[in-house]
Amino acid sequence: MVDANTRQKLFGTPETNFLNCSKGWKSWAFTLDHKRIGIMYLIGVTVALFLAGIFALVLRSHLFTFDSTMLSDDMYNQMFTLHGAVMVFSFIIPSIPAALGNIVLPMMLGAKDVAFPRMNLASFYLWIIGTGCLLGAILSGKGLDTGWTFYTPYSIDTNTGVIYATFGAFILGFSSIFTGLNFLVTVNTMRAKDQGWFKLPLFVWSLYATAIIQVLATPVLGITLLMLIAEKTLHIGIFDPKYGGDPVLFQHFFWFYSHPAVYIMILPAMGVISELISVYSQKRIFGYSFIAFSSVAIALLGFLVWGHHMFTSGQSLVVTLIFSAITFTVAIPSAVKVFNWLATLYKGSILLNTPMCYALSFIFLFGIGGLTGLFLGALSTDIHLHDTYFVVAHFHFVMVGGTLTALLGGVFHWWPKIWGRMYNDFLGRVGCFLVFSGFNLTFFPQFVMGSRGMPRRYASYDPEFQAFHQLSTVGAFVLGIGILLSFVVLVYAAFRGPRCSSNPFRAASLEWQSSSPPDFHNFIQTPVLTDPYDFESQVYDEELDTYIPREFANPDKVAPRKEPVHH
Amino acid sequence: MSEHNEDLPAFCHPVSTKLLFGVFFGLIGLTILTVATSALGTGLGMPPAFAFPLAMVIATIKAFLVCAFFMHMYWDKSFNVLAFLSSLLFVTLFIGMTMMDTGEYQPTIEAFDRNNLANVDVSE
Amino acid sequence: MAVADSHDTHDDHHDLYDHGEFIAHHFDSAEQQFDSGKLGIWLFLVTEILFFSGLFVAYTLYRTNHPEVFEQAHVFLNKYLGGLNTIVLLFSSLTMALGVRSAQLGRNKNCSVYILITMVCATMFLGVKAVEYSHKWDMGILVRSSFDLTYTHPTPTTEIGKSLHISDYLVYLCIVPALLFAGFVVASAISKLINKNMLAKFLMAMAITVSGYFLGVCIGIIFMSATDAETGSSHASVIAEQPLMLLASTQDDHSDGDHDEADHDKADHDKAAGDPSHDGEHSDNEEHFGAHPADGGEASFDDHHPDPSTLDRDIGIFFSIYYCMTGLHAIHIIGGIIALGWLYWRSLLGHWRTDYFGPVDYVGLYWHLVDLIWIYLFPLLYLID
Ligand code: HEM
Ligand SMILES: [Cu+2]
């Protein structure tokens, strides 16, 4: 029990917060505050998303007709390479962990910051340098046409800007390692007093699992790219067949990182979804420990399946069989999560606001993406489907339908916390609808095309596929408009949205015990430890129009749950 | 053997100089041993197939000494030790799987080399 | 429940350390800070191991698939130089461990001395490596594409090289350290003049550190000439013992004798004729990279084939791996020296206390890891006959 003044101080709208406690560009450029770094990361990845998104729209426009001359074949190759490389290395890998995770993770632990704030800032600057080098491939006038995978021997023979781009990806790898290492240490040593592993929000578990992969797999990408650079400049003969090297070995190196990397992309998204589903159903998450351990299981199993990208590369049969078999097992923990989310929804009191709409889209789209992965993991079907649009559709369902959707959902969910202002829920949901329908329109036809043999990475195609491609192109623009609309809604909310309270949706994890926006030190006083999925622990406070932990409430005035209003 | 002094904070474990020097001389001894076996090994009647495993065993003993005492692992939190050692598991996985695969398709490459290099005219 | 004063004032440059002298603001206690740093450095070492793992994979694959190559390659590796370097590194590990101990006990002065010795060992290691590398380059033992045993560069052409009888490449490898040494000495003297005694002391220590490199070079040369005959690593004896590789090579007319002038001309000619992409990109000591008729240079796919003997080819790959591994390791040594220099400076400032010695401990762990990797590289690369 605390008095009304203290309640006001802890949960009311604060006069000073992390956004206005210091001013000027230097207070941002040299900040060590995880929330500010997270916001800068969010801006950075948004720029990368838009840039790579424009490349994608150019590609889709080109493909509108089968004999299009909009781009030359070379330009087409460069476009899809840059689209893929920027999306993967600069956008999707840092997106949820480094932007959202940075802001939320320390607060979920009741900590003041991540363990190594300077390293956190360094990670952001490495991201800038790395992205700069990646784009340096364009600025140098040479472009890049290897695909985001940099397969040898082509990457050695082409005289496009492979060295810039690989160096950029190398740097981006370190940026990612810094984030991961920081999170691992933060979760281990900075948890609130008595906050045991099983009192952590599932988002923390998923970030932890992601960080394990970042720390273990990313260095291998680093050495691979260095060796590729050495191969290209000095011809060391390890990957280049001309000098007795082994190009299939390069693929082993590359996928030893890059398959685990797809889990760097999806695990944080799954963590976000676990939070959203539970909060907006106001129901304890179903099967907490299953979801928690499935994240770790995915992270570890993810290291055992890289060869499923190499079924047609000349990889030997024995190894192919082993990889195929293990690939199926990865689907199990993924499915465990999906079933648990569905069980959580069952009989929940569901609030269909913007974040929840994204969460539900996620379950649907990730379901399709994951299931089609099994077709690709099965040898007999993969021989047919490999390097077709089926693969393209598969990974877009998991990466866009999964990760991007979860990112948007998460951003909407935590937006009021970050800015202290509410978004327009109606327009948010319209945006979500456009994203969902545009996405399906873009990528569903690609499954059909792929299964009928349309190969990926071609600038022109057989006329029989034109109708599918046209649907896809139209869908891409709808998707683009949806993302743009969400962006506008968010930016407007951040600056002009109506003020909102510290915990408008009755969430129970610790970050909601801070004011909105939070104080520079996150919490003005040490938060009381609550179970992140016990929503009964939060009670409504009429004076402040917000939910606060029972310990702080006025016992005479504990109101029943008030339906959160739609703004 | 870390001398724990009451005045020191709990996390501070200086290792005695005696132990450090002991480990150092052990390491030097092992280095000399490994060079000697490699230089004289076959002369002393050691089968050549033995030399390499022996060198690796010696290296591993040395690594163990460095880890345990120079790196204070012996006194460190078990979580740290586990984290460090787990990296070896992943390295083994990486080496194991790629080796299995390249070992399988090596004969194909060799056959290719034999057929092609035999016909190559390098005299320019 | 008392509410702590809200933090209204935050200056623009928020200082990481705003409570307690060496406890950053977001930590509750010295112990929490230490534990975080410690776990952090262990995880960093994990990333280092996985970083090196790629090269270990390459090594293991070539060793299992081409065991014969390793038997041929060992004649070029001087196991005594490798052993010497192992001992130097082990000794530096000892002094590092002693430095950590001193820091733990708050003995800053002892700590600085141990760190200085560690740095000197590190540069000595690099000096010995320089002797090894330059000797290999003299014999044309380079990475795969430039690997060419017919290449000889035994007679020094630079003035210093001639007077000291050392390889040109070794002279080139000494230029940067010599400049650094001179720079540190001058800077130290200037600091002394303007009464910045601490800085002068630090810079002097750096000069001493760099001089370790030259010590390493001297010892390396002595060791090399003492063990040369035995290991058969001189060029002529290799030719005599291992005709296999050389006969397989195409340039019979180049196979022996002192022809460095001719070779240069030829190399220059090739460069001008067929190798535009290399122009100006390489420093002097790499001038014959990619410029040999037999290696195909930058030529396109079909009009050039690499050497006919896969054995010769694979020895080139062995040395590619050798250079990658030892080169990456050397880069880590250089990084370590920089980190140690920072520790040295902080020891001079007397920063270490029984409850604050983390940085020394962490850099120490890193340093031991660099040693650990060498402990494996040594038998893998040098003891392979
Ligand atoms: C649920 C389990 C999953 C399974 C069983 C699976 C399986 C596969 C398989 C077998 C391939 C290779 C197809 C081929 O090239 O022929 C593939 C490609 C791919 N997958 Fe998945 N996948 C799964 C989840 C994911 C996730 C979560 C992501 C990313 C967020 C992802 C991203 C990708 C990407 C990017 C590619 C294509 C890489 C390229 O060639 O450029 N996958 N997947
Ligand atoms: Cu995969």
Side-chain angles (χ1 to χ4, degrees):
Chain A
M1 221 311 259
V2 293
D3 59 58
N5 265 349
T6 312
R7 267 201 297 277
Q8 172 66 35
K9 196 158 194 174
L10 292 179
F11 304 110
T13 307
E15 268 164 43
T16 53
N17 55 49
F18 84 101
L19 292 168
N20 64 11
C21 67
S22 55
K23 293 209 155 53
W25 67 270
K26 277 191 194 154
S27 76
W28 283 84
F30 300 115
T31 184
L32 297 177
D33 179 8
H34 67 102
K35 301 181 286 304
R36 286 190 173 193
I37 295 173
I39 289 178
M40 294 196 296
Y41 246 126
L42 195 58
I43 296 169
V45 296
T46 308
V47 172
L49 171 68
F50 281 137
L51 200 70
I54 290 169
F55 295 147
L57 291 180
V58 172
L59 288 172
R60 284 298 349 151
S61 307
H62 172 85
L63 291 172
F64 196 72
T65 52
F66 71 93
D67 52 357
S68 166
T69 51
M70 189 181 135
L71 297 172
S72 68
D73 289 356
D74 273 343
M75 276 305 286
Y76 182 87
N77 290 347
Q78 303 212 358
M79 273 295 160
F80 80 68
T81 301
L82 283 164
H83 162 71
V86 173
M87 278 292 191
V88 168
F89 294 115
S90 292
F91 168 65
I92 204 164
I93 287 183
S95 64
I96 296 185
L100 270 184
N102 232 328
I103 300 174
V104 180
L105 175 93
M107 298 180 73
M108 284 183 154
L109 305 175
K112 292 197 189 104
D113 208 320
V114 292
F116 308 119
R118 278 186 286 220
M119 194 181 195
N120 201 15
L121 185 64
S123 162
F124 175 67
Y125 282 112
L126 285 181
W127 180 88
I128 294 202
I129 297 170
T131 305
C133 292
L134 199 58
L135 295 176
I138 318 180
L139 301 179
S140 71
K142 287 174 164 178
L144 178 71
D145 64 353
T146 57
W148 75 282
T149 49
F150 305 119
Y151 274 7
T152 55
Y154 183 67
S155 56
I156 300 167
D157 293 325
T158 175
N159 50 24
T160 54
V162 175
I163 293 182
Y164 294 96
T166 43
F167 187 70
F170 176 78
I171 303 274
L172 286 166
F174 278 92
S175 160
S176 169
I177 290 176
F178 280 16
T179 305
L181 199 157
N182 221 333
F183 284 4
L184 282 181
V185 176
T186 307
V187 176
N188 268 294
T189 63
M190 316 259 310
R191 298 196 303 276
K193 194 164 172 299
D194 297 330
Q195 189 178 32
W197 287 92
F198 293 97
K199 289 189 180 168
L200 294 173
L202 289 165
F203 186 41
V204 174
W205 272 91
S206 73
L207 285 175
Y208 195 83
T210 308
I212 295 177
I213 309 177
Q214 284 174 304
V215 165
L216 284 171
T218 319
V220 176
L221 175 73
I223 192 69
T224 308
L225 296 178
L226 274 193
M227 283 162 81
L228 180 60
I229 292 175
E231 188 75 81
K232 208 168 157 63
T233 50
L234 304 174
H235 304 288
I236 55 177
I238 293 177
F239 297 139
D240 188 348
K242 250 186 301 176
Y243 292 98
D246 179 350
V248 178
L249 185 62
F250 176 83
Q251 298 191 17
H252 277 299
F253 274 60
F254 185 81
W255 290 111
F256 184 87
Y257 164 73
S258 290
H259 181 81
V262 309
Y263 293 109
I264 297 179
M265 306 172 199
I266 198 70
L267 278 170
M270 293 168 157
V272 169
I273 298 306
S274 300
E275 299 302 312
L276 302 196
I277 294 284
S278 163
V279 170
Y280 296 111
S281 317
Q282 284 293 304
K283 224 182 118 211
R284 170 176 287 281
I285 190 94
F286 185 87
Y288 175 96
S289 50
F290 276 90
I291 299 188
F293 282 120
S294 67
S295 293
V296 179
I298 289 178
L300 298 181
L301 281 177
F303 279 93
L304 299 173
V305 299
W306 78 82
H308 67 210
H309 295 272
M310 301 167 58
F311 288 160
T312 61
S313 70
Q315 180 178 254
S316 67
L317 190 59
V318 194
V319 174
T320 296
L321 285 172
I322 296 173
F323 277 127
S324 174
I326 307 177
T327 296
F328 292 118
T329 65
V330 187
I332 298 171
S334 310
V336 163
K337 282 178 190 279
V338 173
F339 289 129
N340 281 307
W341 294 324
L342 294 179
T344 307
L345 288 171
Y346 180 65
K347 285 194 175 167
S349 81
I350 292 173
L351 175 68
L352 275 181
N353 63 351
T354 315
M356 187 59 159
C357 289
Y358 277 113
L360 296 178
S361 314
F362 174 95
I363 297 182
F364 180 78
L365 298 176
F366 174 74
I368 296 181
L371 287 175
T372 49
L374 293 176
F375 292 79
L376 296 172
L379 286 180
S380 51
T381 37
D382 185 66
I383 301 300
H384 175 63
L385 295 173
H386 175 71
D387 259 347
T388 67
Y389 267 61
F390 192 92
V391 175
V392 177
H394 155 71
F395 66 72
H396 281 90
F397 264 78
V398 274
M399 293 159 90
V400 180
T403 310
L404 181 65
T405 304
L407 174 69
L408 284 167
V411 167
F412 271 101
H413 176 62
W414 280 294
W415 209 241
K417 173 57 51 195
I418 300 171
W419 303 98
R421 291 173 185 275
M422 188 52 75
Y423 49 84
N424 181 317
D425 196 40
F426 174 73
L427 287 178
R429 280 184 288 173
V430 172
C432 177
F433 174 77
L434 288 177
V435 168
F436 181 79
S437 42
F439 175 81
N440 278 303
L441 190 56
T442 315
F443 291 105
F444 207 87
Q446 299 190 0
F447 278 129
V448 183
M449 277 192 273
S451 59
R452 294 186 186 178
M454 167 79 211
R456 68 191 277 205
R457 294 181 172 173
Y458 275 69
S460 54
Y461 51 87
D462 204 280
E464 87 175 86
F465 295 117
Q466 182 161 296
F468 293 111
H469 272 294
Q470 291 184 340
L471 285 178
S472 195
T473 302
V474 173
F477 279 92
V478 176
L479 175 60
I481 291 168
I483 293 177
L484 208 60
L485 176 62
S486 309
F487 177 76
V488 172
V489 170
L490 288 166
V491 172
Y492 182 84
F495 295 104
R496 292 272 177 279
R499 291 256 168 219
C500 75
S501 68
S502 65
N503 186 5
F505 297 110
R506 201 191 197 195
S509 42
L510 295 187
E511 77 273 23
W512 298 98
Q513 284 186 41
S514 65
S515 58
S516 298
D519 181 64
F520 174 82
H521 288 278
N522 293 346
F523 303 97
I524 295 169
Q525 117 179 357
T526 317
V528 293
L529 189 63
T530 46
D531 179 333
Y533 299 106
D534 175 16
F535 299 104
E536 297 303 319
S537 69
Q538 308 291 318
V539 293
Y540 184 64
D541 182 285
E542 274 175 12
E543 289 153 48
L544 297 169
D545 182 28
T546 190
Y547 288 90
I548 60 176
R550 198 174 286 277
E551 285 82 343
F552 288 100
N554 182 345
D556 307 330
K557 276 196 168 179
V558 171
R561 177 176 184 231
K562 174 178 157 263
E563 283 303 318
V565 275
H566 288 171
H567 294 269
Chain B
M1 238 194 252
S2 81
E3 47 192 67
H4 205 95
N5 187 321
E6 290 308 312
D7 306 335
L8 296 175
F11 58 86
C12 180
H13 297 278
V15 183
S16 76
T17 10
K18 230 200 258 163
L19 179 59
L20 292 179
F21 273 97
V23 170
F24 172 69
F25 286 117
L27 289 168
I28 296 295
L30 288 169
T31 308
I32 294 172
L33 181 69
T34 188
V35 176
T37 48
S38 142
L40 314 170
T42 33
L44 296 176
M46 191 175 64
F50 241 58
F52 179 64
L54 182 69
M56 292 321 284
V57 169
I58 295 179
T60 306
I61 298 173
K62 285 164 74 179
F64 172 80
L65 287 175
V66 171
C67 284
F69 303 112
F70 282 178
M71 298 172 92
H72 302 189
M73 237 186 204
Y74 185 77
W75 301 276
D76 211 326
K77 288 190 159 57
S78 45
F79 185 85
N80 292 354
V81 177
L82 196 79
F84 183 69
L85 294 183
S86 68
S87 67
L88 300 181
L89 195 74
F90 288 87
V91 174
T92 317
L93 174 76
F94 188 15
I95 295 184
M97 279 297 216
T98 42
M99 204 160 81
M100 201 158 122
D101 184 37
T102 54
E104 283 285 318
Y105 65 67
Q106 209 58 32
T108 328
I109 295 184
E110 269 152 29
F112 176 84
D113 275 353
R114 261 196 311 281
N115 292 338
N116 284 271
L117 294 176
N119 306 331
V120 170
D121 174 20
V122 282
S123 55
E124 312 203 22
Chain C
M1 250 183 240
V3 176
D5 285 343
S6 63
H7 310 263
D8 299 354
T9 48
H10 299 293
D11 21 347
D12 272 5
H13 297 281
H14 185 80
D15 189 0
L16 196 56
Y17 300 99
D18 65 1
H19 68 76
E21 213 179 327
F22 284 122
I23 305 180
H25 82 95
H26 58 293
F27 290 117
D28 298 330
S29 65
E31 177 159 16
Q32 188 190 31
Q33 168 163 312
F34 176 78
D35 287 346
S36 300
K38 191 95 174 193
L39 177 58
I41 191 75
W42 278 117
L43 291 173
F44 175 70
L45 298 191
V46 167
T47 66
E48 286 285 9
I49 289 183
L50 280 140
F51 196 66
F52 273 94
S53 75
L55 295 172
F56 281 100
V57 170
Y59 176 91
T60 319
L61 293 185
Y62 280 95
R63 179 150 190 163
T64 40
N65 295 332
H66 308 279
E68 71 288 354
V69 174
F70 284 70
E71 274 152 37
Q72 301 294 336
H74 90 271
V75 287
F76 301 107
L77 287 156
N78 186 324
K79 68 178 70 147
Y80 298 102
L81 275 185
L84 171 69
N85 254 350
T86 309
I87 289 174
V88 170
L89 265 198
L90 287 174
F91 184 70
S92 79
S93 263
L94 171 70
T95 54
M96 188 71 233
L98 291 167
V100 173
R101 180 188 145 82
S102 312
Q104 285 174 322
L105 297 171
R107 298 175 190 155
N108 283 277
K109 197 160 167 18
N110 290 1
C111 182
S112 67
V113 174
Y114 286 130
I115 288 174
L116 180 57
I117 303 177
T118 312
M119 289 192 291
V120 170
C121 289
T123 49
M124 254 179 83
F125 177 92
L126 293 177
V128 175
K129 265 268 73 92
V131 174
E132 236 188 290
Y133 275 2
S134 57
H135 186 63
K136 293 209 167 48
W137 297 342
D138 274 342
M139 300 195 298
I141 299 176
L142 288 144
V143 295
R144 166 65 188 89
S145 61
S146 336
F147 185 81
D148 178 12
L149 292 175
T150 60
Y151 175 78
T152 40
H153 199 298
T155 327
T157 51
T158 53
E159 286 306 316
I160 312 178
K162 274 185 206 151
S163 56
L164 294 178
H165 281 284
I166 55 173
S167 144
D168 283 354
Y169 297 130
L170 191 53
V171 175
Y172 300 141
L173 285 176
C174 287
I175 292 175
V176 173
L179 290 177
L180 276 176
F181 180 76
F184 281 129
V185 170
V186 172
S188 173
I190 295 173
S191 320
K192 192 91 190 166
L193 282 180
I194 58 172
N195 266 330
K196 299 228 174 204
N197 287 331
M198 187 94 85
L199 187 62
K201 191 168 177 197
F202 171 77
L203 290 167
M204 208 30 154
M206 292 301 115
I208 295 174
T209 301
V210 179
S211 66
Y213 180 84
F214 298 103
L215 184 63
V217 169
C218 295
I219 298 182
I221 293 174
I222 296 169
F223 247 69
M224 182 76 111
S225 40
T227 55
D228 221 15
E230 196 192 326
T231 54
S233 59
S234 85
H235 188 50
S237 61
V238 171
I239 295 171
E241 284 172 24
Q242 306 290 335
L244 175 71
M245 291 172 274
L246 290 163
L247 293 180
S249 180
T250 50
Q251 303 147 309
D252 307 324
D253 51 339
H254 273 249
S255 60
D256 57 65
D258 177 8
H259 59 273
D260 55 300
E261 288 306 319
D263 198 67
H264 261 268
D265 289 343
K266 179 141 182 54
D268 289 344
H269 170 78
D270 277 6
K271 191 150 80 175
D275 214 5
S277 66
H278 273 273
D279 271 344
E281 277 184 23
H282 291 297
S283 55
D284 312 27
N285 53 356
E286 291 173 315
E287 62 187 334
H288 62 291
F289 265 46
H292 275 277
D295 72 357
E298 296 279 319
S300 69
F301 239 120
D302 345 72
D303 59 349
H304 256 309
H305 272 279
D307 315 38
S309 150
T310 56
L311 185 59
D312 203 14
R313 177 187 85 182
D314 292 336
I315 291 182
I317 298 179
F318 171 85
F319 278 100
S320 292
I321 296 173
Y322 164 89
Y323 282 115
C324 287
M325 285 181 131
T326 55
L328 192 65
H329 181 260
I331 290 172
H332 278 79
I333 299 254
I334 294 172
I337 295 172
I338 294 170
L340 287 165
W342 171 68
L343 291 186
Y344 183 82
W345 174 245
R346 294 195 64 180
S347 315
L348 290 185
L349 296 177
H351 279 180
W352 317 129
R353 308 190 313 208
T354 52
D355 62 348
Y356 181 73
F357 54 86
V360 189
D361 203 358
Y362 311 149
V363 175
L365 285 179
Y366 168 81
W367 192 253
H368 295 309
L369 182 89
V370 173
D371 188 16
L372 272 185
I373 289 174
W374 185 260
I375 285 179
Y376 280 98
L377 289 187
F378 174 53
L380 289 179
L381 294 173
Y382 293 82
L383 306 180
I384 45 174
D385 46 331

